Amino acid sequence: MSQNSKPKKSFLKKVISASQNIQNSNFIPFALPSLGKEEEEAVIKVLRSNWITTGNVTENFEKEFSKKIGSKYAIAVNSATAGLHLALDSFNLKKESFVITSPYTFTSTAEVTRYLNLHPLFVDINEEDYNIDPLLIEKAIKNNKNTSAIIPVHIAGDLCKMKEIMDISNKNNIPVFEDAAHAFPVCEKFPESENMKFAGTFGDAGVFSFYATKTITTGEGGMVVTDNEKIAHHMKMMRLHGIDRDVWDRYNTEENKWYYEVKAPGFKYNLTDIASAIGIEQLKKADIFKQKRTKIADLYNKAFKEYDFITLPPVSESHCWHLYIVRINSAKLKISRDEFIQKLLDKGIGVSVHFIPLHIMPYYKNAYDLKPDDFPRALEKYLTSISLPIYPTLDEEKIEYIIDSVIEIGSDSYQ
Ligand SMILES: *Cc1c(COP(=O)(O)O)cnc(C)c1O
């Protein structure tokens, strides 16, 4: 916008009053980041260093991240979508082949297949939770000889049945890329190993998101992890224009070298040091954040369990509670799920729905000729689910208010 085309006063007024509304009203937002002095100071330090793009702060973030989850490599990227793209790209999957995933996810998970002339092959979720059903994966592979990969998604932070999925992967020699956008940190102890094993480290690669609403955030950002040196190298190269070395290396060798080589038509997916500085501080707090979300989930579970108009989310020991998804049992109520949502909004509670399944989205529906009933479990969960606020800065008073509101709405419209 040029100097002369300043926005009209009325427009400015509107913007200012809208932002004041957000700050002053008692409305409880659906999601909020948890940022403090530490993040502010870390960002200022990077700004004052004059090195603001990818550099040694990002390298440190990668080191700390891989140390935390026990992966050999961690590659910082500017979104999880970029990370999924890089991971798929690194395997050179057969053109026009099919990548198995569930329709119960965000579009990123499936859209990346299209970047590479691959196709999503949806299979339904489990009856009892929101994650992909391994039995249906096996069936899909039997029925479609042209499957080349599997992308399980740990919905809400609930670990997929990774043992079953990895058995299928090994048996069929098909790589697994975990969409762990919701699943940091999620770890389980497995009998065959001494250590805790983290979501994102079961498959050939795992991808995390640091989008504003996720369990830790850098504004926008993501991380790909793998133990495979070859694909790690490929992803690092493709992250920055297909150039076979990092910016830091390029400008900071002893001889201050200017030479570089482009090995492939790569992408612009690198994460800035400004973002990584926030990430390092968020990483330190990740376990405390998880404890706080788990406590909220416990309070919700305890309060809702005696009401038959609510179905609680699946509970597991390792769950990191990125989302708290309840299901509304409409048969018991005089109101629909959508009306339930409206009543929560009227009470000043921000809620959401996870997810509108991909098979009913115009693009996927039309491109692959899909019907709503093709994935009945995903459809049923979509039609009955509501995601309630769950984040570290949600205080007890607000939690209680949300609980009381849900119970009141349900009880008032009970039939
Ligand atoms: C948020 C999200 C992504 C994408 O993350 P970005 O960092 O925004 O690209 C991918 N998969 C799932 C399941 C998500 O919820």
Side-chain angles (χ1 to χ4, degrees):
M1 198 177 293
S2 78
Q3 290 276 323
N4 318 336
S5 61
K6 280 186 192 146
K8 294 213 175 69
K9 207 169 178 188
S10 61
F11 172 77
L12 266 181
K13 246 188 205 159
K14 244 186 230 166
V15 171
I16 290 165
S17 82
S19 73
Q20 276 170 349
N21 273 345
I22 288 170
Q23 284 173 13
N24 298 341
S25 79
N26 287 320
F27 187 83
I28 302 171
F30 169 65
L32 276 181
S34 303
L35 301 166
K37 267 250 157 317
E38 299 79 8
E39 285 82 358
E40 285 176 22
E41 281 165 10
V43 166
I44 288 169
K45 207 169 141 195
V46 168
L47 297 183
R48 290 185 180 159
S49 80
N50 279 330
W51 190 282
I52 54 177
T53 183
T54 311
N56 64 1
V57 178
T58 300
E59 210 170 280
N60 285 341
F61 184 32
E62 293 174 336
K63 270 189 201 136
E64 293 300 321
F65 198 89
S66 60
K67 200 162 80 191
K68 167 79 184 167
I69 68 161
S71 71
K72 274 202 189 125
Y73 305 94
I75 295 144
V77 284
N78 56 20
S79 74
T81 310
L84 284 165
H85 183 194
L86 289 180
L88 282 186
D89 183 61
S90 69
F91 263 73
N92 208 5
L93 303 172
K94 198 167 135 242
K95 295 275 169 288
E96 303 296 334
S97 64
F98 287 82
V99 176
I100 293 176
T101 192
S102 115
Y104 212 80
T105 184
F106 186 59
T107 187
S108 296
T109 318
E111 79 184 23
V112 292
T113 64
R114 302 298 301 126
Y115 297 180
L116 296 160
N117 277 322
L118 306 165
H119 301 283
L121 179 61
F122 295 123
V123 314
D124 213 348
I125 53 180
N126 296 305
E127 194 74 56
E128 70 278 10
D129 61 37
Y130 296 86
N131 291 336
I132 195 163
D133 180 345
L135 290 174
L136 294 177
I137 296 177
E138 245 180 332
K139 213 166 128 191
I141 293 172
K142 279 213 184 84
N143 292 337
N144 187 331
K145 297 285 171 230
N146 200 15
T147 50
S148 59
I150 307 168
I151 310 182
V153 190
H154 310 295
I155 293 292
D158 183 25
L159 192 71
C160 289
K161 294 177 179 169
M162 287 314 294
K163 190 178 172 330
E164 287 89 333
I165 293 170
M166 292 317 296
D167 284 349
I168 296 167
S169 155
N170 292 329
K171 211 165 71 190
N172 295 281
N173 200 18
I174 291 176
V176 169
F177 306 105
E178 293 173 73
D179 182 336
H182 298 183
F184 184 77
V186 169
C187 53
E188 258 182 25
K189 187 142 175 36
F190 282 79
E192 64 267 28
S193 88
E194 280 288 290
N195 299 325
M196 302 295 271
K197 193 145 175 72
F198 279 77
T201 65
F202 290 85
D204 296 83
V207 180
F208 299 88
S209 173
F210 309 136
Y211 178 66
T213 61
K214 299 284 157 75
T215 59
I216 65 170
T217 184
T218 59
E220 298 279 358
M223 193 73 80
V224 199
V225 302
T226 183
D227 283 348
N228 181 325
E229 188 188 347
K230 208 173 137 219
I231 77 159
H233 181 260
H234 182 86
M235 291 194 290
K236 272 187 195 168
M237 183 175 82
M238 295 307 278
R239 166 178 67 176
L240 200 67
H241 303 296
I243 292 171
D244 203 356
R245 59 201 325 179
D246 284 345
V247 178
W248 188 246
D249 290 340
R250 254 180 26 222
Y251 291 103
N252 289 273
T253 53
E254 275 173 65
E255 311 91 62
N256 198 17
K257 277 187 184 158
W258 48 267
Y259 184 77
Y260 62 89
E261 284 183 355
V262 175
K263 297 269 181 67
F267 312 104
K268 188 71 202 292
Y269 283 168
N270 56 307
L271 191 69
T272 68
D273 272 14
I274 302 170
S276 293
I278 302 172
I280 289 170
E281 298 309 318
Q282 291 272 290
L283 192 54
K284 291 179 195 160
K285 303 175 183 177
D287 288 325
I288 296 168
F289 289 167
K290 177 174 170 172
Q291 273 172 26
K292 291 192 173 171
R293 289 190 308 272
T294 305
K295 196 175 154 219
I296 298 170
D298 288 345
L299 289 170
Y300 282 157
N301 284 337
K302 226 179 264 156
F304 297 146
K305 73 165 185 275
E306 58 190 282
Y307 296 93
D308 64 357
F309 61 86
I310 294 176
T311 304
L312 297 181
V315 175
S316 63
E317 198 52 42
S318 66
H319 207 308
C320 80
W321 298 106
H322 164 53
L323 299 172
Y324 186 88
I325 309 174
V326 287
R327 292 175 59 204
I328 298 305
N329 189 350
S330 306
K332 303 275 180 193
L333 299 178
K334 284 182 274 202
I335 56 170
S336 68
R337 187 277 308 267
D338 292 4
E339 287 167 318
F340 206 109
I341 287 178
Q342 191 53 52
K343 284 178 188 291
L344 284 167
L345 291 173
D346 291 345
K347 286 179 177 293
I349 299 168
V351 296
S352 192
V353 172
H354 295 91
F355 283 92
I356 306 169
L358 298 181
H359 73 284
I360 68 170
M361 288 291 181
Y363 169 69
Y364 297 101
K365 186 180 105 187
N366 296 331
Y368 298 101
D369 193 22
L370 302 171
K371 306 275 172 293
D373 285 339
D374 288 350
F375 308 99
R377 294 171 186 166
L379 185 69
E380 163 71 10
K381 294 227 168 57
Y382 157 60
L383 292 172
T384 53
S385 288
I386 302 178
S387 297
L388 298 177
I390 183 163
Y391 43 90
T393 56
L394 198 64
D395 61 32
E396 289 208 14
E397 197 184 321
K398 293 199 175 87
I399 297 164
E400 222 167 89
Y401 177 71
I402 295 166
I403 289 172
D404 291 347
S405 300
V406 169
I407 292 172
E408 192 188 306
I409 293 166
S411 304
D412 283 354
S413 38
Y414 202 78
Q415 62 177 10

Tab-separated table of all heavy atoms in Angstrom, residues 77-84 104-111 153-156 179-182 207-214 219-223 322-323 354-355, ligand 1:
chain	number	residue	atom	x	y	z
A	77	VAL	N	11.738	-26.959	9.127
A	77	VAL	CA	11.105	-26.446	7.907
A	77	VAL	C	10.067	-25.382	8.277
A	77	VAL	O	9.754	-25.211	9.456
A	77	VAL	CB	10.424	-27.593	7.110
A	77	VAL	CG1	11.449	-28.427	6.375
A	77	VAL	CG2	9.578	-28.482	8.019
A	78	ASN	N	9.567	-24.672	7.265
A	78	ASN	CA	8.661	-23.569	7.599
A	78	ASN	C	7.194	-23.961	7.761
A	78	ASN	O	6.351	-23.124	8.060
A	78	ASN	CB	8.834	-22.391	6.629
A	78	ASN	CG	8.639	-22.816	5.187
A	78	ASN	OD1	8.033	-23.849	4.917
A	78	ASN	ND2	9.156	-22.035	4.265
A	79	SER	N	6.882	-25.244	7.599
A	79	SER	CA	5.555	-25.767	7.965
A	79	SER	C	5.607	-27.291	7.964
A	79	SER	O	6.512	-27.889	7.360
A	79	SER	CB	4.479	-25.296	6.970
A	79	SER	OG	4.586	-25.996	5.750
A	80	ALA	N	4.623	-27.894	8.613
A	80	ALA	CA	4.535	-29.354	8.570
A	80	ALA	C	4.158	-29.817	7.164
A	80	ALA	O	4.587	-30.882	6.719
A	80	ALA	CB	3.504	-29.853	9.583
A	81	THR	N	3.371	-29.001	6.483
A	81	THR	CA	3.007	-29.337	5.101
A	81	THR	C	4.262	-29.476	4.248
A	81	THR	O	4.413	-30.446	3.495
A	81	THR	CB	2.087	-28.236	4.513
A	81	THR	OG1	1.017	-27.988	5.429
A	81	THR	CG2	1.536	-28.642	3.168
A	82	ALA	N	5.194	-28.513	4.402
A	82	ALA	CA	6.473	-28.581	3.695
A	82	ALA	C	7.225	-29.852	4.092
A	82	ALA	O	7.809	-30.533	3.241
A	82	ALA	CB	7.315	-27.347	4.017
A	83	GLY	N	7.187	-30.181	5.368
A	83	GLY	CA	7.883	-31.376	5.856
A	83	GLY	C	7.331	-32.648	5.248
A	83	GLY	O	8.087	-33.547	4.849
A	84	LEU	N	6.003	-32.737	5.169
A	84	LEU	CA	5.380	-33.918	4.558
A	84	LEU	C	5.767	-34.016	3.084
A	84	LEU	O	6.060	-35.106	2.575
A	84	LEU	CB	3.851	-33.838	4.686
A	84	LEU	CG	3.264	-34.153	6.064
A	84	LEU	CD1	1.813	-33.687	6.154
A	84	LEU	CD2	3.346	-35.651	6.362
A	104	TYR	N	-9.906	-38.551	7.866
A	104	TYR	CA	-10.144	-37.774	9.085
A	104	TYR	C	-8.893	-36.995	9.462
A	104	TYR	O	-8.177	-37.323	10.415
A	104	TYR	CB	-10.561	-38.699	10.231
A	104	TYR	CG	-11.516	-38.012	11.184
A	104	TYR	CD1	-12.874	-37.908	10.877
A	104	TYR	CD2	-11.074	-37.424	12.361
A	104	TYR	CE1	-13.750	-37.258	11.712
A	104	TYR	CE2	-11.955	-36.768	13.207
A	104	TYR	CZ	-13.295	-36.696	12.874
A	104	TYR	OH	-14.159	-36.030	13.707
A	105	THR	N	-8.593	-35.959	8.685
A	105	THR	CA	-7.381	-35.189	8.901
A	105	THR	C	-7.502	-33.846	8.197
A	105	THR	O	-8.484	-33.585	7.500
A	105	THR	CB	-6.142	-35.958	8.394
A	105	THR	OG1	-4.957	-35.211	8.697
A	105	THR	CG2	-6.198	-36.192	6.883
A	106	PHE	N	-6.478	-33.013	8.393
A	106	PHE	CA	-6.415	-31.743	7.692
A	106	PHE	C	-5.905	-31.997	6.268
A	106	PHE	O	-5.187	-32.966	6.024
A	106	PHE	CB	-5.472	-30.798	8.453
A	106	PHE	CG	-5.444	-29.412	7.884
A	106	PHE	CD1	-6.602	-28.646	7.803
A	106	PHE	CD2	-4.259	-28.868	7.419
A	106	PHE	CE1	-6.572	-27.374	7.270
A	106	PHE	CE2	-4.228	-27.580	6.892
A	106	PHE	CZ	-5.389	-26.839	6.811
A	107	THR	N	-6.250	-31.119	5.364
A	107	THR	CA	-5.959	-31.353	3.951
A	107	THR	C	-4.469	-31.515	3.637
A	107	THR	O	-4.098	-32.221	2.699
A	107	THR	CB	-6.587	-30.246	3.058
A	107	THR	OG1	-6.424	-30.606	1.698
A	107	THR	CG2	-5.955	-28.882	3.316
A	108	SER	N	-3.592	-30.909	4.448
A	108	SER	CA	-2.139	-31.046	4.251
A	108	SER	C	-1.714	-32.490	4.019
A	108	SER	O	-0.909	-32.788	3.143
A	108	SER	CB	-1.363	-30.599	5.492
A	108	SER	OG	-1.547	-29.261	5.724
A	109	THR	N	-2.238	-33.374	4.875
A	109	THR	CA	-1.834	-34.771	4.864
A	109	THR	C	-2.002	-35.390	3.485
A	109	THR	O	-1.152	-36.165	3.034
A	109	THR	CB	-2.689	-35.579	5.871
A	109	THR	OG1	-2.853	-34.822	7.064
A	109	THR	CG2	-2.065	-36.914	6.184
A	110	ALA	N	-3.109	-35.025	2.818
A	110	ALA	CA	-3.402	-35.633	1.522
A	110	ALA	C	-2.931	-34.773	0.355
A	110	ALA	O	-2.555	-35.298	-0.691
A	110	ALA	CB	-4.902	-35.895	1.418
A	111	GLU	N	-2.917	-33.459	0.537
A	111	GLU	CA	-2.613	-32.597	-0.619
A	111	GLU	C	-1.179	-32.798	-1.097
A	111	GLU	O	-0.894	-32.673	-2.290
A	111	GLU	CB	-2.868	-31.117	-0.297
A	111	GLU	CG	-1.778	-30.450	0.519
A	111	GLU	CD	-2.102	-29.007	0.899
A	111	GLU	OE1	-3.284	-28.629	0.928
A	111	GLU	OE2	-1.165	-28.257	1.185
A	153	VAL	N	-2.007	-40.571	10.886
A	153	VAL	CA	-2.094	-39.272	11.569
A	153	VAL	C	-2.495	-39.527	13.026
A	153	VAL	O	-3.524	-40.161	13.267
A	153	VAL	CB	-3.162	-38.366	10.915
A	153	VAL	CG1	-3.077	-36.951	11.466
A	153	VAL	CG2	-3.038	-38.377	9.394
A	154	HIS	N	-1.699	-39.049	13.967
A	154	HIS	CA	-2.009	-39.256	15.389
A	154	HIS	C	-2.989	-38.175	15.830
A	154	HIS	O	-2.596	-37.153	16.401
A	154	HIS	CB	-0.745	-39.200	16.231
A	154	HIS	CG	0.365	-40.073	15.723
A	154	HIS	ND1	0.268	-41.442	15.694
A	154	HIS	CD2	1.588	-39.774	15.212
A	154	HIS	CE1	1.394	-41.952	15.199
A	154	HIS	NE2	2.203	-40.964	14.896
A	155	ILE	N	-4.277	-38.427	15.561
A	155	ILE	CA	-5.257	-37.365	15.751
A	155	ILE	C	-5.387	-36.958	17.224
A	155	ILE	O	-5.512	-37.807	18.099
A	155	ILE	CB	-6.640	-37.806	15.209
A	155	ILE	CG1	-6.590	-37.968	13.691
A	155	ILE	CG2	-7.735	-36.806	15.599
A	155	ILE	CD1	-6.398	-36.689	12.903
A	156	ALA	N	-5.326	-35.655	17.427
A	156	ALA	CA	-5.483	-35.021	18.744
A	156	ALA	C	-4.293	-35.285	19.675
A	156	ALA	O	-4.234	-34.744	20.777
A	156	ALA	CB	-6.785	-35.450	19.418
A	179	ASP	N	2.263	-38.384	10.202
A	179	ASP	CA	1.834	-37.007	10.391
A	179	ASP	C	1.646	-36.823	11.896
A	179	ASP	O	0.614	-37.198	12.459
A	179	ASP	CB	0.540	-36.739	9.631
A	179	ASP	CG	0.071	-35.294	9.768
A	179	ASP	OD1	0.450	-34.637	10.765
A	179	ASP	OD2	-0.682	-34.824	8.896
A	180	ALA	N	2.692	-36.285	12.527
A	180	ALA	CA	2.673	-36.091	13.978
A	180	ALA	C	2.414	-34.619	14.318
A	180	ALA	O	2.858	-34.121	15.348
A	180	ALA	CB	3.982	-36.591	14.597
A	181	ALA	N	1.674	-33.943	13.442
A	181	ALA	CA	1.375	-32.515	13.638
A	181	ALA	C	0.717	-32.254	14.995
A	181	ALA	O	0.900	-31.194	15.584
A	181	ALA	CB	0.486	-31.998	12.511
A	182	HIS	N	-0.051	-33.242	15.490
A	182	HIS	CA	-0.742	-33.072	16.777
A	182	HIS	C	0.032	-33.708	17.929
A	182	HIS	O	-0.407	-33.596	19.068
A	182	HIS	CB	-2.107	-33.770	16.742
A	182	HIS	CG	-3.053	-33.232	15.728
A	182	HIS	ND1	-4.330	-33.694	15.596
A	182	HIS	CD2	-2.918	-32.250	14.805
A	182	HIS	CE1	-4.951	-33.040	14.619
A	182	HIS	NE2	-4.107	-32.160	14.120
A	207	VAL	N	6.639	-36.069	10.962
A	207	VAL	CA	6.560	-34.626	10.740
A	207	VAL	C	5.747	-33.958	11.846
A	207	VAL	O	4.654	-34.415	12.188
A	207	VAL	CB	5.904	-34.337	9.369
A	207	VAL	CG1	5.819	-32.842	9.132
A	207	VAL	CG2	6.692	-35.005	8.254
A	208	PHE	N	6.299	-32.875	12.396
A	208	PHE	CA	5.645	-32.112	13.460
A	208	PHE	C	5.301	-30.712	12.955
A	208	PHE	O	5.987	-30.183	12.085
A	208	PHE	CB	6.573	-31.996	14.674
A	208	PHE	CG	6.925	-33.327	15.268
A	208	PHE	CD1	8.018	-34.050	14.789
A	208	PHE	CD2	6.161	-33.881	16.284
A	208	PHE	CE1	8.336	-35.294	15.314
A	208	PHE	CE2	6.470	-35.122	16.816
A	208	PHE	CZ	7.565	-35.831	16.336
A	209	SER	N	4.255	-30.126	13.540
A	209	SER	CA	3.851	-28.777	13.144
A	209	SER	C	4.027	-27.809	14.311
A	209	SER	O	3.693	-28.132	15.453
A	209	SER	CB	2.380	-28.757	12.714
A	209	SER	OG	1.961	-27.426	12.490
A	210	PHE	N	4.523	-26.623	13.998
A	210	PHE	CA	4.615	-25.552	14.995
A	210	PHE	C	3.723	-24.376	14.599
A	210	PHE	O	4.026	-23.215	14.842
A	210	PHE	CB	6.071	-25.092	15.161
A	210	PHE	CG	7.038	-26.219	15.396
A	210	PHE	CD1	8.252	-26.256	14.726
A	210	PHE	CD2	6.736	-27.248	16.279
A	210	PHE	CE1	9.158	-27.293	14.932
A	210	PHE	CE2	7.621	-28.301	16.481
A	210	PHE	CZ	8.839	-28.317	15.804
A	211	TYR	N	2.615	-24.686	13.947
A	211	TYR	CA	1.596	-23.702	13.614
A	211	TYR	C	1.068	-23.076	14.919
A	211	TYR	O	1.190	-23.673	15.988
A	211	TYR	CB	0.477	-24.413	12.838
A	211	TYR	CG	-0.673	-23.525	12.469
A	211	TYR	CD1	-0.510	-22.480	11.561
A	211	TYR	CD2	-1.942	-23.730	13.017
A	211	TYR	CE1	-1.573	-21.664	11.229
A	211	TYR	CE2	-3.008	-22.920	12.682
A	211	TYR	CZ	-2.816	-21.881	11.792
A	211	TYR	OH	-3.869	-21.067	11.473
A	212	ALA	N	0.481	-21.892	14.798
A	212	ALA	CA	0.098	-21.103	15.979
A	212	ALA	C	-0.739	-21.854	17.011
A	212	ALA	O	-0.625	-21.601	18.211
A	212	ALA	CB	-0.644	-19.844	15.531
A	213	THR	N	-1.574	-22.786	16.565
A	213	THR	CA	-2.471	-23.456	17.513
A	213	THR	C	-1.925	-24.784	18.027
A	213	THR	O	-2.549	-25.431	18.865
A	213	THR	CB	-3.829	-23.773	16.843
A	213	THR	OG1	-3.582	-24.652	15.729
A	213	THR	CG2	-4.514	-22.509	16.355
A	214	LYS	N	-0.771	-25.210	17.554
A	214	LYS	CA	-0.294	-26.556	17.908
A	214	LYS	C	0.362	-26.574	19.303
A	214	LYS	O	0.493	-25.533	19.932
A	214	LYS	CB	0.673	-27.058	16.828
A	214	LYS	CG	0.009	-27.153	15.443
A	214	LYS	CD	-0.916	-28.363	15.294
A	214	LYS	CE	-1.966	-28.228	14.219
A	214	LYS	NZ	-1.533	-28.366	12.837
A	219	GLY	N	4.986	-19.730	15.433
A	219	GLY	CA	4.184	-18.912	14.524
A	219	GLY	C	3.767	-19.772	13.348
A	219	GLY	O	2.625	-20.189	13.221
A	220	GLU	N	4.700	-20.012	12.471
A	220	GLU	CA	4.593	-21.051	11.448
A	220	GLU	C	5.888	-21.848	11.534
A	220	GLU	O	6.949	-21.279	11.793
A	220	GLU	CB	4.487	-20.458	10.038
A	220	GLU	CG	3.284	-19.582	9.778
A	220	GLU	CD	2.002	-20.373	9.472
A	220	GLU	OE1	2.055	-21.627	9.428
A	220	GLU	OE2	0.960	-19.720	9.309
A	221	GLY	N	5.812	-23.140	11.292
A	221	GLY	CA	7.034	-23.923	11.317
A	221	GLY	C	6.751	-25.401	11.434
A	221	GLY	O	5.607	-25.807	11.662
A	222	GLY	N	7.782	-26.190	11.240
A	222	GLY	CA	7.622	-27.630	11.358
A	222	GLY	C	8.978	-28.312	11.481
A	222	GLY	O	10.031	-27.666	11.370
A	223	MET	N	8.945	-29.618	11.743
A	223	MET	CA	10.187	-30.384	11.877
A	223	MET	C	9.962	-31.774	11.283
A	223	MET	O	8.935	-32.395	11.551
A	223	MET	CB	10.550	-30.509	13.365
A	223	MET	CG	11.940	-31.003	13.659
A	223	MET	SD	13.257	-29.790	13.313
A	223	MET	CE	13.206	-28.745	14.767
A	322	HIS	N	-3.519	-32.510	22.323
A	322	HIS	CA	-3.541	-31.302	21.496
A	322	HIS	C	-4.982	-30.839	21.312
A	322	HIS	O	-5.271	-29.640	21.312
A	322	HIS	CB	-2.892	-31.582	20.132
A	322	HIS	CG	-3.200	-30.546	19.107
A	322	HIS	ND1	-2.992	-29.206	19.321
A	322	HIS	CD2	-3.747	-30.642	17.864
A	322	HIS	CE1	-3.372	-28.526	18.236
A	322	HIS	NE2	-3.839	-29.368	17.361
A	323	LEU	N	-5.892	-31.815	21.155
A	323	LEU	CA	-7.314	-31.499	21.020
A	323	LEU	C	-8.094	-32.316	22.038
A	323	LEU	O	-7.683	-33.422	22.409
A	323	LEU	CB	-7.818	-31.860	19.617
A	323	LEU	CG	-7.176	-31.146	18.428
A	323	LEU	CD1	-7.653	-31.780	17.117
A	323	LEU	CD2	-7.498	-29.658	18.443
A	354	HIS	N	-13.132	-31.035	14.517
A	354	HIS	CA	-11.994	-31.747	13.912
A	354	HIS	C	-12.396	-33.171	13.609
A	354	HIS	O	-12.617	-33.932	14.523
A	354	HIS	CB	-10.795	-31.757	14.840
A	354	HIS	CG	-10.243	-30.405	15.081
A	354	HIS	ND1	-10.653	-29.609	16.130
A	354	HIS	CD2	-9.334	-29.685	14.386
A	354	HIS	CE1	-9.998	-28.461	16.079
A	354	HIS	NE2	-9.194	-28.470	15.042
A	355	PHE	N	-12.490	-33.523	12.360
A	355	PHE	CA	-12.276	-32.709	11.167
A	355	PHE	C	-13.484	-32.823	10.258
A	355	PHE	O	-14.230	-33.781	10.357
A	355	PHE	CB	-11.035	-33.214	10.406
A	355	PHE	CG	-9.739	-32.801	11.023
A	355	PHE	CD1	-9.110	-33.624	11.943
A	355	PHE	CD2	-9.162	-31.590	10.682
A	355	PHE	CE1	-7.899	-33.230	12.517
A	355	PHE	CE2	-7.962	-31.215	11.236
A	355	PHE	CZ	-7.330	-32.019	12.156
B	1	LIG	C1	-1.824	-28.491	11.350
B	1	LIG	C2	-1.766	-29.769	10.623
B	1	LIG	C3	-0.907	-29.969	9.533
B	1	LIG	C4	-0.183	-28.869	8.855
B	1	LIG	O1	0.647	-28.153	9.662
B	1	LIG	P1	1.324	-26.806	9.078
B	1	LIG	O2	2.511	-26.612	9.964
B	1	LIG	O3	0.295	-25.738	9.228
B	1	LIG	O4	1.683	-27.054	7.671
B	1	LIG	C5	-0.796	-31.237	9.005
B	1	LIG	N1	-1.515	-32.259	9.482
B	1	LIG	C6	-2.401	-32.102	10.487
B	1	LIG	C7	-3.150	-33.286	10.985
B	1	LIG	C8	-2.564	-30.836	11.078
B	1	LIG	O5	-3.478	-30.675	12.046
